[in-house]
Amino acid sequence: MNKQLLSGDEAVARGAWESGCMVAAAYPGTPSTEILETLATYRDVYCEWSVNEKVALEVALGAAVAGVRSLAAMKHVGLNVAADPLFSSAYIGVKAGLVIVTADDPGLHSSQNEQDNRFYGLSAKLPVLCPSDSQEAKEFTKLGFEISEQFDIPVLLRLTTRVAHSSTVVNLEQRVSRAPLGYEKQLHKTTLLPAFARHRHVDLEKRVVRLQQYSETTPINRIELNDFKLGIICDGVAYHYAREVFPNASFLKLGMVHPFPAKLALDFADRVEEIVVIEEVDPFIELHIRALGLKVKGKDVLPRTGELNPGIIRAALTKNTPRPAPEDDIPNRPPALCPGCPHLGIFYSLQKQKVIISGDIGCYTLGALPPHSAMDTCIDMGASITFAHGADKALNNADPRPRVAIIGDSTFFHSGITGIVNTVYNRSNVITIITDNRTTGMTGHQNHPGTGKTLMGEETKTIDIAQLCRACGIENVIQVDPYNLKETRKVVHKTLAEKQPAVIISRRPCALLVGKQGQAKAVNKEKCIGCRTCLTLGCPAISFADDKAVIIATSCVGCGMCTAICPKGAIE
Amino acid sequence: MNIIVCGVGGQGVILFSDIIAHLALAAGLDVKKSEVHGMAQRGGSVTSHIRYAPRVHSPLIEDGTADIIVAFEQLEALRYIHFLAPSGVLIYDPLRIEPLPVQIGLVEKMPDDLLNKRIAARAPRRYPVEAFATACNLGNPRVQNTVMLGAVARFLEFPVNLYSRVIKALVKPQFIEQNLQAFAAGSQLIPPPET
């Protein structure tokens, strides 16, 4: 058998490919991005970066109803964007299988919250599968397609960062191709007019009852009997942490947490003396166990926040073996914008301006940190423009500070356009800065509607952001090159002073895509007076030692922004 | 075997970990490797956990149980030192990369001697390896990770020919020769392990 090391994301892609999946759609988002990136390398699956998660889910649903196995993938907060089609998809069902992957991020490694998307299954009445490692990520993906077809319902596959981004050994199998089932009109099933939807709801409840019976007997919900004193109920990666800490305990390992296998849980409870639920973030399993009237230990001793690990479980549930503590007082190393990042130029131009800046989701959110400190808010994808609009309506003339929204190019396509239309329609004076670095930067350089390339590497139309903003009714649309600090500063300051609706497009490709642009700069020690002006650029290639600036030659990409701002011409 | 690899975003921690994990796989062992992508990689602190054995459960290493910590930078060595087992080995590059808040003067720099003292206090078995400097001498700072790999290989039980096989499989073709050179250079940087 062919064994490979795959991340959970890669394993989901492999599982989809082996299952004969034909259409897959996603919007990039950590920790889910690599699913579609990997799947796109299997040439016999159509893969796309949709403009957002709602679109991705609707695309996959359309394909599934039109008769081919389909997959949509997103990070946990992406499922909020896709929640509307999610709930409807449970009503209408599928024809060929549909697997919806949600990659949750306990520990907030790269997210704005740590919501627990198992609750979406409960709320939208969808089956939820929770793999614990890459082998299961592949198996559950394949099983997801089967359950989806057997019960005429989309299946939610819930990963967490530790499953998505851990590489473990996977047995590879071959693809089993499936003939497309074709599309046939089923008006009463797929048209959610109230009169039809009422019947679909009744039907959905029947499907949930059948799924409940399935959940009681599926081999992915299994009892592993060992010592009767302690019975642990768990799902996902928590299973492996718990096995590490309690090698002799009995386990009820849940691969399918919704519908909840209540009889199986009662059977397990009968066989052990004490039940402990070990699960990450919210008490999802625990709520179900408590609803059965069972006595259980869970979130009363284990944390609801952050990731679990064996150490946390050991400390909470065993006679605390003392473990070495981390050292304190080590200077933090927060993430920072890269050397030569074009965003540095736009943040530099905003320094010392009295403005209210609502930010958005992307690398440029790092502009909230010193030395820029150029951001008041970061809420969700697209919220920069709409938040600024609301603040403008609240403050009117009472606060003279201009309302500025900062949003990246990919985020603008994702959910910024509706915000722009709203500011024009409802007449606010929001100044929107679009930091257009010609890519989806933070997630590792994915294409989007402004790059002229698709996920599968095909040439396509490039959607012009400036034209789009003009078409939305913004009259003042200006494009600047953020490396041209003088011009950028002039445009930004002038626009701020006018306090009229405007869009400034700060356009320059991501420095990581470009690489070295010239010789590394160096500081002329004779000329440097140690004024620290260069440090306000926030470039990580610029340091300071012995009262003089120092350029870290191995980091510097030679963009020349620091040369332009040094008042003494000391950076050459 | 529990190995923690740490460094600064961009130093090649992830590729280094990939190579170790693939060595274990090629040796027929169960292996798990865990790291975090995304925002953390933008110049932030990066760690990877690698565990291999006949059967591995947790992808994460517990505090105080790492057999080896490989640190590509000194502050990062101290940041993850609590993972080290009492008998564990720290292999670290004495390189220092100051975090941005230190560079721009918001946070005070930790003096070299204090940093050294604190590392020494918690890692009785430690080997400084000038991997970055060696990589620069070889003409490419980016091979710091394979220089380090050469040094770390002294503490692992994989057959020598396996390394070149895995490096060839994981490194882009145009960089293979450079990386094999770097590996050879790294293996000269520390004495053979005491028995």
Coordinates of all heavy atoms in Angstrom, one line a residue, chain A residues 250-329:
Chain A
S250 N -11.0 3.7 29.0 CA -11.9 3.3 27.9 C -12.3 4.5 27.2 O -12.4 5.6 27.7 CB -13.1 2.6 28.5 OG -12.8 1.4 29.1
F251 N -12.6 4.4 25.9 CA -12.9 5.5 25.0 C -14.2 5.4 24.3 O -14.5 4.2 23.8 CB -11.8 5.8 24.0 CG -10.6 6.5 24.6 CD1 -9.6 5.8 25.3 CD2 -10.5 7.9 24.5 CE1 -8.5 6.5 25.8 CE2 -9.4 8.6 25.0 CZ -8.4 7.9 25.7
L252 N -15.0 6.4 24.2 CA -16.0 6.5 23.1 C -15.5 7.6 22.2 O -15.5 8.8 22.4 CB -17.4 6.9 23.7 CG -18.5 7.3 22.7 CD1 -18.7 6.1 21.7 CD2 -19.8 7.6 23.4
K253 N -15.0 7.1 21.0 CA -14.4 8.0 20.1 C -15.5 8.3 19.0 O -16.0 7.5 18.3 CB -13.2 7.4 19.4 CG -12.6 8.4 18.4 CD -11.6 7.7 17.5 CE -11.0 8.7 16.5 NZ -12.0 9.3 15.6
L254 N -15.8 9.6 18.9 CA -16.9 10.0 18.0 C -16.3 10.6 16.7 O -15.5 11.6 16.8 CB -17.8 11.1 18.7 CG -18.5 10.6 19.9 CD1 -19.3 11.7 20.5 CD2 -19.4 9.4 19.6
G255 N -16.6 10.0 15.6 CA -16.2 10.6 14.3 C -17.4 11.4 13.8 O -17.2 12.3 13.0
M256 N -18.6 11.1 14.2 CA -19.8 11.8 13.8 C -20.5 12.3 15.0 O -21.0 11.6 15.8 CB -20.7 10.8 13.0 CG -22.0 11.5 12.5 SD -22.8 10.2 11.4 CE -24.2 11.2 10.8
V257 N -20.4 13.6 15.2 CA -20.9 14.2 16.5 C -22.3 14.7 16.3 O -23.0 15.0 17.3 CB -20.0 15.3 17.0 CG1 -18.7 14.8 17.4 CG2 -19.9 16.5 16.0
H258 N -22.8 14.9 15.1 CA -24.2 15.2 14.9 C -24.8 14.5 13.7 O -24.1 14.5 12.7 CB -24.4 16.8 14.7 CG -25.8 17.2 14.6 ND1 -26.4 17.4 13.4 CD2 -26.7 17.3 15.6 CE1 -27.7 17.7 13.7 NE2 -27.9 17.7 15.0
P259 N -26.0 13.9 13.7 CA -26.8 13.7 14.9 C -26.1 12.9 16.0 O -25.3 12.0 15.6 CB -28.0 13.0 14.4 CG -28.1 13.3 13.0 CD -26.7 13.4 12.5
F260 N -26.3 13.2 17.2 CA -25.5 12.6 18.3 C -26.0 11.2 18.6 O -27.2 11.0 18.8 CB -25.7 13.5 19.6 CG -24.7 13.1 20.7 CD1 -23.4 13.5 20.6 CD2 -25.1 12.3 21.7 CE1 -22.5 13.1 21.5 CE2 -24.2 11.9 22.7 CZ -22.9 12.3 22.6
P261 N -25.1 10.3 18.8 CA -25.5 8.9 19.0 C -25.8 8.7 20.5 O -25.0 8.1 21.3 CB -24.2 8.1 18.6 CG -23.1 9.0 18.8 CD -23.6 10.4 18.6
A262 N -27.0 9.0 20.9 CA -27.4 9.0 22.3 C -27.4 7.6 22.9 O -26.9 7.4 24.0 CB -28.8 9.6 22.5
K263 N -27.9 6.6 22.2 CA -28.0 5.3 22.7 C -26.6 4.7 23.0 O -26.3 4.1 24.0 CB -28.7 4.3 21.8 CG -30.2 4.5 21.8 CD -30.9 3.4 21.1 CE -32.3 3.9 20.7 NZ -32.4 4.0 19.2
L264 N -25.7 5.0 22.0 CA -24.3 4.5 22.1 C -23.6 5.2 23.3 O -22.9 4.5 24.1 CB -23.5 4.9 20.8 CG -22.1 4.4 20.7 CD1 -22.1 2.9 20.5 CD2 -21.4 5.0 19.5
A265 N -23.9 6.4 23.6 CA -23.3 7.1 24.7 C -23.9 6.5 26.0 O -23.1 6.3 27.0 CB -23.7 8.6 24.7
L266 N -25.2 6.2 26.1 CA -25.8 5.6 27.3 C -25.2 4.2 27.5 O -24.9 3.8 28.7 CB -27.3 5.5 27.1 CG -28.1 6.8 27.3 CD1 -29.5 6.7 26.8 CD2 -28.0 7.3 28.7
D267 N -25.0 3.5 26.4 CA -24.4 2.1 26.5 C -23.0 2.2 27.1 O -22.6 1.5 28.0 CB -24.3 1.5 25.1 CG -23.7 0.1 25.1 OD1 -23.8 -0.6 26.1 OD2 -23.1 -0.2 24.1
F268 N -22.2 3.2 26.6 CA -20.8 3.5 27.1 C -20.9 3.8 28.6 O -20.1 3.3 29.4 CB -20.2 4.6 26.2 CG -18.8 4.8 26.6 CD1 -17.8 3.9 26.4 CD2 -18.4 6.1 27.1 CE1 -16.4 4.2 26.8 CE2 -17.1 6.4 27.5 CZ -16.1 5.4 27.3
A269 N -21.8 4.7 28.9 CA -21.9 5.2 30.3 C -22.1 4.0 31.3 O -21.7 4.0 32.4 CB -23.0 6.2 30.4
D270 N -22.9 3.0 30.8 CA -23.2 1.8 31.6 C -22.0 1.0 31.9 O -21.9 0.3 32.9 CB -24.2 0.9 30.9 CG -25.7 1.4 31.1 OD1 -25.8 2.2 32.1 OD2 -26.6 1.0 30.4
R271 N -21.0 1.1 31.0 CA -19.9 0.2 31.1 C -18.7 0.8 31.9 O -17.7 0.1 32.1 CB -19.4 -0.2 29.7 CG -20.4 -1.0 28.9 CD -19.9 -1.0 27.5 NE -20.8 -1.7 26.6 CZ -20.4 -2.6 25.8 NH1 -19.2 -3.0 25.7 NH2 -21.3 -3.2 25.0
V272 N -18.7 2.1 32.2 CA -17.6 2.7 32.9 C -18.1 3.4 34.2 O -19.3 3.7 34.3 CB -16.9 3.7 32.0 CG1 -16.2 3.0 30.8 CG2 -17.8 4.8 31.5
E273 N -17.1 3.6 35.1 CA -17.5 4.2 36.4 C -17.6 5.7 36.3 O -18.5 6.3 36.9 CB -16.5 3.8 37.4 CG -16.6 2.4 37.8 CD -15.5 1.9 38.7 OE1 -14.8 2.7 39.3 OE2 -15.3 0.7 38.8
E274 N -16.7 6.4 35.6 CA -16.8 7.9 35.5 C -16.6 8.3 34.0 O -15.9 7.7 33.3 CB -15.6 8.4 36.3 CG -15.6 9.9 36.4 CD -14.3 10.5 36.9 OE1 -13.3 9.8 37.0 OE2 -14.3 11.7 37.2
I275 N -17.4 9.3 33.6 CA -17.3 9.8 32.3 C -16.6 11.2 32.2 O -17.0 12.1 33.0 CB -18.7 10.0 31.6 CG1 -19.5 8.7 31.7 CG2 -18.5 10.4 30.1 CD1 -20.9 8.9 31.2
V276 N -15.7 11.3 31.4 CA -15.0 12.7 31.1 C -15.2 13.0 29.6 O -14.9 12.1 28.8 CB -13.6 12.7 31.5 CG1 -12.9 14.0 31.2 CG2 -13.4 12.3 33.0
V277 N -15.6 14.2 29.3 CA -15.7 14.6 27.9 C -14.5 15.5 27.6 O -14.3 16.5 28.3 CB -17.0 15.3 27.6 CG1 -16.9 15.8 26.1 CG2 -18.2 14.5 27.8
I278 N -13.7 15.1 26.7 CA -12.5 15.9 26.3 C -12.7 16.4 24.9 O -12.7 15.7 23.9 CB -11.2 15.1 26.5 CG1 -11.0 14.6 27.9 CG2 -10.0 15.9 26.0 CD1 -9.8 13.8 28.2
E279 N -13.0 17.7 24.8 CA -13.2 18.3 23.4 C -12.7 19.7 23.4 O -12.6 20.4 24.5 CB -14.7 18.3 23.1 CG -15.6 19.0 24.1 CD -17.1 18.8 23.9 OE1 -17.5 18.7 22.7 OE2 -17.8 18.7 24.9
E280 N -12.3 20.2 22.2 CA -11.8 21.6 22.2 C -12.9 22.6 22.1 O -14.0 22.4 21.5 CB -10.9 21.7 21.0 CG -9.5 21.0 21.2 CD -8.5 21.3 20.2 OE1 -8.7 21.0 19.0 OE2 -7.4 21.7 20.6
V281 N -12.6 23.8 22.6 CA -13.5 25.0 22.6 C -14.8 24.7 23.3 O -14.8 24.5 24.5 CB -13.8 25.5 21.1 CG1 -14.0 27.0 21.2 CG2 -12.6 25.3 20.2
D282 N -16.0 24.7 22.6 CA -17.3 24.6 23.3 C -17.6 23.2 23.8 O -17.2 22.2 23.2 CB -18.4 25.2 22.4 CG -18.2 26.7 22.1 OD1 -17.5 27.3 22.9 OD2 -18.8 27.2 21.1
P283 N -18.5 23.1 24.8 CA -19.0 21.8 25.3 C -20.1 21.3 24.4 O -21.2 21.1 24.8 CB -19.5 22.2 26.7 CG -19.9 23.6 26.6 CD -19.0 24.3 25.6
F284 N -19.8 20.9 23.1 CA -20.8 20.4 22.2 C -21.2 19.0 22.6 O -22.4 18.7 22.8 CB -20.2 20.4 20.8 CG -21.2 20.0 19.8 CD1 -22.1 20.9 19.2 CD2 -21.3 18.6 19.4 CE1 -23.1 20.4 18.2 CE2 -22.2 18.2 18.4 CZ -23.1 19.1 17.9
I285 N -20.2 18.1 22.8 CA -20.5 16.7 23.2 C -21.1 16.7 24.6 O -22.1 16.0 24.9 CB -19.3 15.8 23.1 CG1 -18.8 15.7 21.6 CG2 -19.5 14.4 23.7 CD1 -17.4 15.0 21.5
E286 N -20.5 17.5 25.4 CA -20.9 17.6 26.8 C -22.4 17.9 27.0 O -23.1 17.4 27.8 CB -20.0 18.6 27.6 CG -20.3 18.6 29.1 CD -19.4 19.6 29.8 OE1 -18.3 19.9 29.3 OE2 -19.7 20.0 30.9
L287 N -22.9 18.9 26.2 CA -24.3 19.3 26.2 C -25.2 18.1 25.9 O -26.2 17.9 26.6 CB -24.6 20.4 25.2 CG -24.1 21.8 25.6 CD1 -24.4 22.8 24.4 CD2 -24.7 22.3 26.9
H288 N -24.8 17.3 24.9 CA -25.6 16.2 24.6 C -25.6 15.1 25.7 O -26.6 14.5 26.0 CB -25.1 15.5 23.3 CG -25.4 16.4 22.1 ND1 -24.6 17.4 21.6 CD2 -26.5 16.3 21.3 CE1 -25.2 17.9 20.5 NE2 -26.4 17.3 20.3
I289 N -24.4 14.9 26.3 CA -24.3 13.9 27.4 C -25.1 14.4 28.6 O -25.8 13.6 29.2 CB -22.8 13.8 27.8 CG1 -22.0 13.3 26.6 CG2 -22.7 12.9 29.0 CD1 -22.2 11.9 26.3
R290 N -25.0 15.7 28.9 CA -25.8 16.2 30.0 C -27.3 16.1 29.8 O -28.1 15.8 30.7 CB -25.4 17.6 30.3 CG -24.1 17.8 31.0 CD -23.8 19.2 31.5 NE -22.4 19.3 31.9 CZ -22.0 18.9 33.1 NH1 -22.9 18.4 34.0 NH2 -20.7 19.1 33.5
A291 N -27.7 16.3 28.5 CA -29.1 16.2 28.1 C -29.6 14.8 28.4 O -30.8 14.6 28.5 CB -29.3 16.6 26.7
L292 N -28.7 13.8 28.4 CA -29.1 12.4 28.7 C -29.2 12.2 30.2 O -29.6 11.0 30.6 CB -28.1 11.4 28.1 CG -28.0 11.5 26.5 CD1 -26.8 10.6 26.1 CD2 -29.3 11.0 25.9
G293 N -29.0 13.2 31.0 CA -29.1 13.1 32.4 C -27.9 12.4 33.0 O -27.9 11.9 34.2
L294 N -26.8 12.3 32.3 CA -25.6 11.6 32.8 C -24.7 12.6 33.6 O -24.6 13.8 33.2 CB -24.8 11.0 31.7 CG -25.5 9.9 30.9 CD1 -24.7 9.5 29.7 CD2 -25.7 8.7 31.8
K295 N -24.0 12.1 34.6 CA -23.0 12.9 35.3 C -21.7 12.9 34.6 O -21.3 11.8 34.2 CB -22.9 12.3 36.7 CG -22.9 13.4 37.8 CD -22.7 12.8 39.2 CE -21.4 13.4 39.7 NZ -20.8 12.7 40.9
V296 N -21.1 14.0 34.4 CA -20.0 14.1 33.5 C -19.0 15.2 33.9 O -19.5 16.2 34.5 CB -20.4 14.3 32.0 CG1 -21.2 15.6 31.9 CG2 -19.3 14.3 31.1
K297 N -17.8 14.9 33.7 CA -16.7 16.0 33.9 C -16.4 16.5 32.6 O -16.3 15.7 31.6 CB -15.5 15.3 34.6 CG -14.8 16.2 35.6 CD -13.5 15.6 36.1 CE -13.7 15.0 37.5 NZ -12.4 14.4 37.9
G298 N -16.2 17.8 32.4 CA -15.9 18.4 31.1 C -15.4 19.8 31.3 O -14.3 20.0 31.8
K299 N -16.2 20.7 30.8 CA -15.7 22.1 30.8 C -15.7 22.7 32.2 O -15.2 23.9 32.4 CB -16.6 22.9 29.9 CG -16.5 22.6 28.4 CD -15.0 22.8 27.9 CE -14.9 22.2 26.5 NZ -13.5 22.4 26.0
D300 N -16.1 21.9 33.2 CA -15.9 22.5 34.6 C -14.4 22.4 34.9 O -13.9 23.2 35.8 CB -16.7 21.7 35.6 CG -16.6 20.1 35.4 OD1 -16.2 19.7 34.3 OD2 -16.8 19.4 36.4
V301 N -13.6 21.5 34.3 CA -12.2 21.5 34.6 C -11.3 21.8 33.4 O -10.2 22.2 33.5 CB -11.8 20.1 35.2 CG1 -12.3 19.9 36.6 CG2 -12.3 18.9 34.3
L302 N -11.9 21.6 32.2 CA -11.1 21.9 31.0 C -11.4 23.2 30.4 O -12.6 23.7 30.5 CB -11.3 20.7 29.9 CG -10.7 19.4 30.3 CD1 -11.3 18.3 29.5 CD2 -9.2 19.4 30.0
P303 N -10.5 23.9 29.7 CA -10.8 25.2 29.2 C -11.7 25.3 28.0 O -11.7 24.3 27.2 CB -9.4 25.7 28.8 CG -8.6 24.5 28.6 CD -9.1 23.5 29.5
R304 N -12.5 26.3 27.9 CA -13.3 26.6 26.8 C -12.6 27.4 25.7 O -13.1 27.6 24.6 CB -14.6 27.4 27.2 CG -15.6 26.7 28.0 CD -16.6 27.6 28.6 NE -17.5 26.9 29.5 CZ -18.8 26.6 29.1 NH1 -19.3 27.0 28.0 NH2 -19.5 25.9 30.0
T305 N -11.5 27.9 26.1 CA -10.7 28.8 25.1 C -9.4 28.2 24.7 O -8.8 27.4 25.5 CB -10.4 30.2 25.8 OG1 -9.7 29.9 27.0 CG2 -11.7 30.9 26.1
G306 N -9.0 28.5 23.6 CA -7.7 28.0 23.1 C -7.7 26.5 22.7 O -8.7 25.9 22.8
E307 N -6.5 26.1 22.2 CA -6.4 24.7 21.9 C -6.2 23.8 23.1 O -5.7 24.3 24.1 CB -5.2 24.5 21.0 CG -5.2 25.0 19.6 CD -4.0 24.6 18.8 OE1 -2.9 25.1 19.1 OE2 -4.1 23.7 18.0
L308 N -6.5 22.5 23.0 CA -6.0 21.6 24.1 C -4.7 21.1 23.7 O -4.2 21.2 22.5 CB -7.0 20.5 24.2 CG -8.4 20.7 24.8 CD1 -9.2 19.5 24.8 CD2 -8.3 21.3 26.2
N309 N -4.0 20.5 24.6 CA -2.8 19.6 24.3 C -2.7 18.7 25.4 O -3.4 18.8 26.5 CB -1.6 20.5 24.1 CG -1.2 21.3 25.3 OD1 -1.3 20.8 26.4 ND2 -0.8 22.6 25.1
P310 N -1.8 17.7 25.3 CA -1.7 16.7 26.4 C -1.4 17.3 27.7 O -1.9 16.8 28.8 CB -0.6 15.8 25.9 CG -0.6 15.9 24.4 CD -1.0 17.3 24.2
G311 N -0.6 18.3 27.7 CA -0.2 19.0 29.0 C -1.4 19.6 29.7 O -1.5 19.4 31.0
I312 N -2.2 20.2 29.0 CA -3.4 20.9 29.6 C -4.3 19.8 30.2 O -4.8 19.9 31.3 CB -4.2 21.7 28.5 CG1 -3.3 23.0 28.2 CG2 -5.5 22.1 29.1 CD1 -3.9 23.7 27.0
I313 N -4.5 18.7 29.4 CA -5.4 17.6 29.9 C -4.8 17.0 31.1 O -5.5 16.7 32.1 CB -5.6 16.6 28.7 CG1 -6.3 17.3 27.6 CG2 -6.3 15.4 29.2 CD1 -6.4 16.4 26.3
R314 N -3.5 16.8 31.1 CA -2.8 16.1 32.2 C -3.0 17.0 33.5 O -3.3 16.5 34.6 CB -1.3 15.9 31.9 CG -0.7 14.9 32.8 CD 0.8 14.7 32.5 NE 1.1 14.3 31.2 CZ 1.1 13.0 30.7 NH1 0.7 12.1 31.6 NH2 1.4 12.7 29.5
A315 N -2.8 18.3 33.3 CA -2.8 19.2 34.5 C -4.3 19.2 35.0 O -4.5 19.3 36.2 CB -2.4 20.6 34.1
A316 N -5.3 19.2 34.1 CA -6.6 19.3 34.6 C -7.2 18.1 35.2 O -8.0 18.1 36.1 CB -7.5 19.8 33.4
L317 N -6.8 16.9 34.7 CA -7.4 15.7 35.1 C -6.6 14.6 35.8 O -7.1 13.6 36.2 CB -8.0 15.0 33.8 CG -9.1 15.8 33.1 CD1 -9.4 15.2 31.7 CD2 -10.4 15.7 34.0
T318 N -5.3 14.9 36.0 CA -4.5 14.0 36.8 C -3.9 14.7 38.0 O -3.9 15.9 38.1 CB -3.4 13.4 35.9 OG1 -2.5 14.4 35.6 CG2 -3.9 12.8 34.6
K319 N -3.3 13.9 38.8 CA -2.6 14.5 40.0 C -1.4 15.2 39.3 O -0.4 14.5 38.9 CB -2.1 13.4 41.0 CG -3.3 12.9 41.8 CD -2.9 12.0 42.9 CE -4.1 11.3 43.4 NZ -4.1 9.9 43.2
N320 N -1.5 16.5 39.3 CA -0.6 17.4 38.6 C 0.9 17.0 38.6 O 1.5 17.4 39.6 CB -0.9 18.8 39.2 CG -0.6 19.8 38.2 OD1 0.1 19.5 37.2 ND2 -1.1 21.0 38.4
T321 N 1.4 16.4 37.6 CA 2.8 16.2 37.5 C 3.4 17.5 37.2 O 3.0 18.1 36.2 CB 3.1 15.2 36.3 OG1 2.0 14.4 36.1 CG2 4.4 14.4 36.6
P322 N 4.4 18.0 38.0 CA 4.9 19.3 37.7 C 5.7 19.3 36.4 O 6.5 18.3 36.1 CB 5.8 19.6 38.9 CG 6.0 18.3 39.6 CD 4.9 17.4 39.2
R323 N 5.4 20.2 35.5 CA 6.1 20.3 34.2 C 6.9 21.6 34.2 O 6.5 22.6 34.8 CB 5.1 20.3 33.1 CG 4.3 19.0 33.0 CD 5.0 18.0 32.1 NE 4.4 16.7 32.2 CZ 5.0 15.6 31.6 NH1 6.0 15.7 30.9 NH2 4.4 14.5 31.7
P324 N 8.0 21.6 33.4 CA 8.7 22.9 33.3 C 7.9 24.0 32.8 O 7.2 23.8 31.8 CB 9.9 22.5 32.4 CG 9.5 21.2 31.7 CD 8.5 20.5 32.6
A325 N 8.1 25.2 33.3 CA 7.3 26.4 32.9 C 8.1 27.1 31.8 O 9.4 27.0 31.8 CB 7.1 27.3 34.1
P326 N 7.4 27.8 30.9 CA 8.2 28.6 29.9 C 8.9 29.7 30.6 O 8.5 30.2 31.7 CB 7.1 29.2 29.0 CG 5.8 28.5 29.4 CD 6.0 27.9 30.7
E327 N 10.0 30.2 30.0 CA 10.7 31.3 30.5 C 9.8 32.6 30.3 O 9.0 32.6 29.3 CB 12.0 31.5 29.7 CG 13.0 30.5 29.9 CD 13.8 30.8 31.1 OE1 14.4 31.9 31.3 OE2 13.9 29.8 32.0
D328 N 9.9 33.5 31.2 CA 9.1 34.8 31.0 C 10.1 35.9 30.5 O 11.3 35.7 30.4 CB 8.3 35.1 32.2 CG 9.2 35.1 33.5 OD1 10.4 35.1 33.4 OD2 8.6 35.1 34.6
D329 N 9.5 37.0 30.3 CA 10.3 38.2 29.9 C 11.1 38.0 28.6 O 12.2 38.6 28.5 CB 11.2 38.7 31.0 CG 10.4 39.2 32.2 OD1 9.3 39.7 32.0 OD2 10.9 39.0 33.3

